[in-house]
């Protein structure tokens, strides 16, 4: 029989085979030091505090969350032990990779403390698990930019990289 819906305490990603069955445990930890999320921007539910987190110390960082991406490429424990990674954003990131070729993720999830320390925006999408700073490997930054918007992303232009996020999509 086909698998049932994922457990309430897991988050599922496309995985190496793109089947959607790569599920990681999540935890509810409250908001420990360094996780002081701002009040939602204009009251939007898309800027609400996370409900559950991936405990990066409890999962294999080499887990393939998409055919071409490992968890460690989008979330690192030194940027926050507890991470949020939105599955819909990983799906779209993989679509960008399929279209653009190899991509280097410079920054994915950031805890609020880490985000503040690097001068990130108050409501940075990095803190909500659907924002990524990306360097293309085989094409120019200018060629990568339209691939963000073509896959439903919001583009923030920089000369050195592309910031692409899915702020308009519902949170997973």
């Amino acid at each position: 029989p086909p698998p049932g819906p994922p457990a309430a305490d897991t988050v599922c990603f496309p995985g190496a085979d793109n089947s959607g069955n790569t599920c990681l445990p999540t935890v509810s930890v409250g908001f420990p030091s360094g996780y002081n999320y701002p009040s939602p921007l204009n009251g939007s539910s898309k800027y609400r505090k996370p409900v559950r987190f991936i405990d990066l110390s409890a999962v294999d960082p080499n887990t393939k969350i998409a055919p071409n991406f490992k968890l460690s490429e989008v979330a690192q424990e030194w940027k926050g032990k507890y991470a949020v990674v939105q599955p819909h954003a990983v799906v779209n990131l993989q679509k960008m990779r399929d279209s653009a070729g190899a991509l280097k993720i410079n920054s994915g999830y950031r805890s609020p403390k880490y985000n503040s320390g690097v001068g990130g925006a108050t409501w940075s999408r990095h803190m909500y698990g659907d924002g990524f700073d990306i360097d293309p490997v085989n094409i120019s930054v200018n060629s990568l930019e339209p691939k963000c918007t073509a896959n439903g992303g919001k583009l923030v232009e920089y000369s050195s990289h592309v910031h692409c996020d899915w702020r308009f999509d519902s949170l997973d």
Side-chain angles (χ1 to χ4, degrees), residues 1-165:
D9 58 353
T10 63
V11 61
C12 298
F13 296 97
D17 62 0
N18 224 18
S19 68
N21 292 325
T22 298
C23 301
L24 300 175
T26 62
V27 296
S28 178
V29 294
F31 293 93
S33 176
Y35 286 82
N36 297 321
Y37 279 81
S39 296
L41 177 65
N42 299 323
S44 172
S45 64
K46 294 178 183 177
Y47 289 88
R48 66 166 166 74
K49 294 177 181 179
V51 176
R52 299 185 68 80
F53 295 89
I54 299 169
D55 180 346
L56 295 175
S57 69
V59 297
D60 182 354
N62 292 312
T63 300
K64 296 278 275 200
I65 58 173
N68 297 106
F69 294 102
K70 294 186 286 186
L71 178 63
S72 62
E73 293 178 83
V74 299
Q76 300 86 27
E77 191 172 350
W78 56 275
K79 291 182 181 178
K81 176 181 176 180
Y82 303 105
V84 177
V85 180
Q86 297 289 333
H88 72 271
V90 171
V91 167
N92 288 314
L93 192 61
Q94 181 63 47
K95 288 178 184 177
M96 284 180 64
R97 198 295 184 185
D98 292 344
S99 174
L103 301 174
K104 179 180 184 248
I105 308 302
N106 292 333
S107 189
Y109 177 75
R110 300 176 186 165
S111 70
K113 180 179 179 180
Y114 181 86
N115 185 65
S116 177
V118 297
T122 301
W123 291 279
S124 170
R125 294 311 303 177
H126 291 278
M127 298 186 306
Y128 301 93
D130 61 5
F132 305 94
D133 291 343
I134 308 164
D135 272 341
V137 174
N138 298 315
I139 63 173
S140 70
V141 167
N142 289 340
S143 296
L144 183 60
E145 290 173 350
K147 296 184 185 308
C148 170
T149 55
N151 285 292
K154 165 72 173 156
L155 170 70
V156 180
E157 295 184 40
Y158 295 95
S159 59
S160 61
H161 65 277
V162 169
H163 170 91
C164 190
D165 66 56

